[in-house]
Amino acid sequence: MILLLSDAVLRTQTRRLGAAVSRSRMVAVTAAALFLIAPVAAWRVGRSVSGLLEGDTATLAVTRGLVLGLAVASAAAGAALGTAIPGRRALGFQIAAAPVPRAVAVAALALPAIGGATLLVGPTLVALAAALAWSSPGGAFAAVALALSFAAAAGSGAVAAEAVLHLVRQGGRSARAAGGVVVAGAAAATAIEGPAQALAQGGPVLLSSAVACAVAAIGSGVAWVGLAAIRPEPRVAARRRPLVVPDGHPVAAVSGAALALLSRAPDLRAALVAAASFGLVGLGVGLAAGAPASAALLLGGGACVVAAALVPLSARGRLDPGAWVWRAGARGIVAGGWAASSLGLVVLPLLPVGLIALVRPREAAAAAAPVVALAVAAWAAALAAGAVVPRRAHGAGDDALSLGAFTAATVGVGSVATLAGPMLGRAGVPDAIAALLVLVAASAGAVTLFGASWGRA
Amino acid sequence: MPADRPSSFSGRAVIGRPPDPLRACGLEKRYGAVRALAGLDVRVTAGAVVGLVGPNGSGKSTLLGIVAGIVRADSGMALVAGRTAGTIEAARSLVLVPDDPSGFDELTVREHAALLHALIGVEGGRRSELVEAFELKPLLDRSLGALSRGQRRRAALAAAFAVDVPLILVDEATTALDETAVVAVCDAIADATARGAGVLLATHDREFVSTVCDTVLELRAGEIVAELQLPFVRQPEVPCDPVAV
C-alpha cells in the first residue's frame, strides 16, 4: 500500500515539476546548470576549511565545533521539511477516507520528499564531507560518518519540530512530545559526537560512529513518522484581530493583507516559531561550546533563516486562491507588497536571536551584516523558488517539490557566490560592495519573477 | 458516550442480521468557540438514503468527515458497519464523495479511480457503465487539476459508486453538476441502495432530497431540528419542506 501511494505521489510530483519546467524553461535550465556545479563549489569550500582539521590542530574541540555548525543547519532544514510535509488530508478527502493507516499515508507522502532531497543535496553534502575529512586524522573514511550525520541531524530536527507542534497544539500536555524530545536529543548528540571523534581520532571509532549515525538517522525518521501520523489539528483562534487597512494606500493595504494571510497560516506560524527556536538553540549551543559570539550568532541566525524561508516560499501559493482580488491592483504594487511582507516575516524571528547576542555588542555587530545578508539571500531564493513551483499547502507532493526548488535555488546561488566571490575579490571589488550588488540583483530578480508568475496562474 | 443514550445502542449485529451501515450517537465537535455538532444521533439502515439539509455551517460536512474518519469527534461514537469510525476496518466499509475533490490534481481521472479502488481493495466493477452515465469518456486521460469543479465531482462520484461498500457518503450531492449528472447520481444511488448499501448525503437541493431520500434530517448549529420520513420516496412531486410538514 505504501508503494502504491508513494508511486501516486511521485507521479504527481514529476508531472508538476514537468509543468513548472515547461512554464519557466530559462529558469529551470539556469537552476539545473547551477545545481550541477554545486558539488564542485562544496568541495572547494570544504577544502578551504579543511586546514583546521590537519594534523595536531584537529583537536576534538575543533572538530566538535565544526560538526556542530553543520548539524544545526541540517536540523533546521529537517525541521522545515518535516513540518512542511502535510498530513493525510493532502491526499484529498476521497483518498484520505480510504483504508490507509495514518503512518502509511505520512510515510508515503514523505518518502518521495526524502528521496528527492537526497538526490538534490546528497552529492553536494557528500562532496563537502569528503573535502572536510580529506586531511583530517580520520581521513576520507571519516567522511562517511560526517555525511550520515547530516541525515541524523535532519531527522532530529524534524522530530524536535514535530514534538514542539504537539506541545503547542495540546497545551503542553503530550507524553509523545516528551518522547520525541528525548529521541531528537539522542539523535542530535549522536550526529555531533560520532563524526567529531571520527574526524579527530580516526581508527576504531570510524565504523562505530558511522553505524551510530545511520541508526540515529533511521530511528529519528521512524519517530518522526510516528509523531507526524498523529499530529494534532491546529487550534482554532477564538477571534481574529481585525486587519487595519489604511484607506487610499494600496501599498499599505496589500502589505497588510499579505502579512495577515502569511502570519495567520498555522503551518507558517509554526515555521516562524521553529525558526526563532532554532536560532536561539544555535546561538546558545555555539556560545556553550566556546565559539566566538560572532560565530555563534552566525550559526543561530543561519538556522533561523533556513526555517523562516518557508514563508516567502509559500507567498505565491497563498496569493493564488485570492488572485481574482489581487488582479484588481497594479501588478508591481501587489508583488512588492507580498515581497515586503514575506521579507519582514523572515527577519522577525531573527530579532530575539539578535537581542540575546547583544550581550556581547561588539562581536554581535560584526556578525550582523552577514546574518542580514544571509536572510535576504534566503528570502530571495525562496520567493523565486515559490514563484516557479508554488507551495499550495494542499495536494500530494506540493510541499516537497517547492522545498526542492528552494534547495536547488539556494544551492545554485551559493555555488555562484562561492565561485564568483574570489574572482570579484581579485578584480579589486570590495567584499561589502560585491555582496550588496549580489543581494540587490537577487532581490530584484526574485520580486520580478514573483510578479511575472502569479498573473498567469 | 452520554449516559442518557438508549442501552440498545450497541452497534453490533443482531444475530443473523448484518449491522447497520451507520449508527452514530451523541456526536459532538467544536472548532474553537464554534459548536459544529451538538450531540447528534444518526442512523442509516441498509438500502436507505438519508439526506442532511441545513444552512452553511450547520454541521453537515463535519458529520460526514467524522464518519469518514477524516475529522475527529470530541465525544460520541459512530459505527460504520459495526466498526468504530476512523479505524481501518470502518474505512474499508465506506467510500466518500467530497465537496471538492482535489489532492492528486496531476493524476488522470482513470489513475485516480484506479488508486481509490486499489486502496479500498475492490475491482470497481461498474466502472465502465458509470463512466458512460457520468459522461466521463473524453475526460478519462485528463488530469483532475485541469478539469472544472463539476467534472471533478463527476469523476469522484463515478469512482465512488463503482464499488460495493455498505456505506456511501456524498457531500454537496448536486453542487456544480448539470442535469444529466444529477440524473446519473439519482440512478447510481438507486442502484447502490438496491444492492443493500446505505447512503448518507448532504445537500442544499431540497428537490433532490425529496426525490432520492427516505429520511431527511434538517441541521442547524449542529443539532437536528427536524426529521422527515418520506414514505413515498423517489417521487419528484412530493413536497420537501421539513419545517412545514
Side-chain angles (χ1 to χ4, degrees):
Chain A
M1 186 178 284
I2 194 166
L3 289 178
L4 190 71
L5 267 178
S6 280
D7 172 60
V9 173
L10 196 59
R11 261 187 290 167
T12 306
Q13 289 180 356
T14 312
R15 287 171 191 175
R16 196 148 179 260
L17 183 63
V21 167
S22 65
R23 272 200 311 269
S24 318
R25 282 184 198 280
M26 200 61 187
V27 175
V29 168
T30 310
L34 293 176
F35 175 70
L36 286 174
I37 60 169
V40 179
W43 173 264
R44 287 186 62 163
V45 169
R47 291 300 291 154
S48 67
V49 180
S50 65
L52 286 171
L53 303 175
E54 283 177 14
D56 295 340
T57 56
T59 62
L60 194 55
V62 170
T63 57
R64 204 176 272 155
L66 185 77
V67 176
L68 178 70
L70 294 168
V72 171
S74 302
L81 183 64
T83 49
I85 290 175
R88 110 189 132 120
R89 287 187 195 185
L91 300 171
F93 278 10
Q94 192 163 40
I95 299 293
V100 181
R102 287 164 193 261
V104 169
V106 170
L109 283 163
L111 273 179
I114 293 168
T118 307
L119 207 65
L120 211 57
V121 295
T124 306
L125 291 179
V126 167
L128 181 66
L132 284 171
W134 198 262
S135 312
S136 72
F141 287 111
V144 177
L146 189 57
L148 286 169
S149 80
F150 295 139
S156 84
V159 174
E162 201 65 47
V164 170
L165 270 182
H166 277 253
L167 284 172
V168 169
R169 291 179 181 177
Q170 293 185 333
R173 305 179 306 276
S174 175
R176 294 186 183 105
V181 170
V182 171
V183 171
T190 310
I192 294 163
E193 201 54 30
Q197 286 189 5
L199 285 168
Q201 296 162 5
V205 294
L206 281 176
L207 182 64
S208 61
S209 61
V211 170
C213 282
V215 169
I218 294 168
S220 55
V222 171
W224 175 78
V225 169
L227 276 177
I230 50 168
R231 184 185 291 173
E233 289 175 18
R235 290 180 171 194
V236 180
R239 212 171 114 189
R240 296 284 190 201
R241 287 200 188 98
L243 177 67
V244 180
V245 179
D247 286 341
H249 294 83
V251 176
V254 170
S255 302
L259 199 63
L261 285 168
L262 290 170
S263 63
R264 286 175 181 174
D267 54 338
L268 301 186
R269 200 179 279 221
L272 289 174
V273 172
S277 309
F278 271 102
L280 293 172
V281 167
L283 181 69
V285 167
L287 290 174
S294 55
L297 180 58
L298 206 56
L299 180 63
C304 179
V305 163
V306 169
L310 198 63
V311 175
L313 187 64
S314 307
R316 165 69 200 284
R318 299 278 161 185
L319 181 149
D320 274 352
W324 60 278
V325 175
W326 300 114
R327 284 196 185 101
R331 182 181 294 237
I333 288 174
V334 173
W338 275 83
S341 299
S342 59
L343 178 60
L345 288 172
V346 169
V347 173
L348 187 68
L350 279 172
L351 294 181
V353 182
L355 279 174
I356 290 181
L358 280 178
V359 176
R360 295 187 201 169
R362 195 173 293 174
E363 291 178 77
V371 170
V372 170
L374 199 63
V376 174
W379 161 79
L383 194 70
V388 177
V389 188
R391 179 173 177 263
R392 296 177 295 191
H394 72 272
D398 275 21
D399 296 272
L401 208 57
S402 299
L403 282 167
F406 169 58
T407 311
T410 311
V411 167
V413 170
S415 305
V416 167
T418 306
L419 296 174
M423 288 183 210
L424 286 171
R426 282 195 295 274
V429 180
D431 287 353
I433 301 292
L436 196 65
L437 285 174
V438 169
L439 288 179
V440 168
S443 304
V447 175
T448 306
L449 194 61
F450 182 83
S453 71
W454 68 265
R456 54 176 193 230
Chain B
M1 191 193 306
D4 58 350
R5 296 288 156 216
S7 58
S8 62
F9 180 77
S10 69
R12 301 195 189 287
V14 176
I15 293 171
R17 206 183 75 188
D20 289 333
L22 174 65
R23 290 200 77 175
C25 188
L27 288 179
E28 290 186 16
K29 177 70 184 174
R30 296 188 84 91
Y31 294 107
V34 178
R35 191 176 65 170
L37 292 182
L40 212 67
D41 297 347
V42 179
R43 183 182 179 197
V44 179
T45 54
V49 185
V50 176
L52 303 168
V53 295
N56 293 328
S58 58
K60 304 184 297 290
S61 297
T62 299
L63 174 60
L64 293 181
I66 289 172
V67 175
I70 296 168
V71 177
R72 196 171 296 178
D74 295 336
S75 62
M77 181 180 273
L79 298 171
V80 178
R83 310 285 185 159
T84 306
T87 61
I88 295 296
E89 292 76 21
R92 284 200 185 100
S93 303
L94 65 85
V95 66
L96 168 73
V97 182
D99 170 24
D100 189 6
S102 60
F104 284 102
D105 286 355
E106 282 75 17
L107 289 190
T108 64
V109 171
R110 191 194 303 273
E111 288 170 335
H112 193 266
L115 175 65
L116 178 69
H117 297 158
L119 290 173
I120 297 176
V122 295
E123 290 291 323
R126 280 170 301 285
R127 207 185 296 177
S128 55
E129 60 194 73
L130 283 161
V131 162
E132 202 76 50
F134 283 98
E135 298 180 331
L136 286 170
K137 231 172 196 169
L139 308 178
L140 279 177
D141 293 315
R142 287 179 60 188
S143 60
L144 282 168
L147 304 181
S148 72
R149 188 178 172 207
Q151 290 171 326
R152 282 203 305 275
R153 298 212 72 238
R154 275 157 50 192
L157 283 159
F161 280 102
V163 298
D164 265 328
V165 284
L167 181 64
I168 299 172
L169 306 169
V170 187
D171 199 2
E172 301 290 354
T174 57
T175 302
L177 297 181
D178 58 27
E179 284 177 11
T180 315
V182 172
V183 171
V185 174
C186 291
D187 291 344
I189 288 175
D191 186 40
T193 51
R195 284 181 276 118
V199 178
L200 178 64
L201 59 88
T203 182
H204 293 283
D205 187 342
R206 288 174 185 264
E207 192 183 333
F208 177 76
V209 291
S210 70
T211 307
V212 301
C213 293
D214 306 301
T215 305
V216 181
L217 305 175
E218 171 136 6
L219 268 61
R220 274 183 208 276
E223 288 181 272
I224 295 173
V225 294
E227 180 172 342
L228 174 68
Q229 302 289 337
L230 296 174
F232 308 107
V233 292
R234 298 175 194 104
Q235 292 175 15
E237 64 276 14
V238 174
C240 184
D241 186 347
V243 178
V245 171

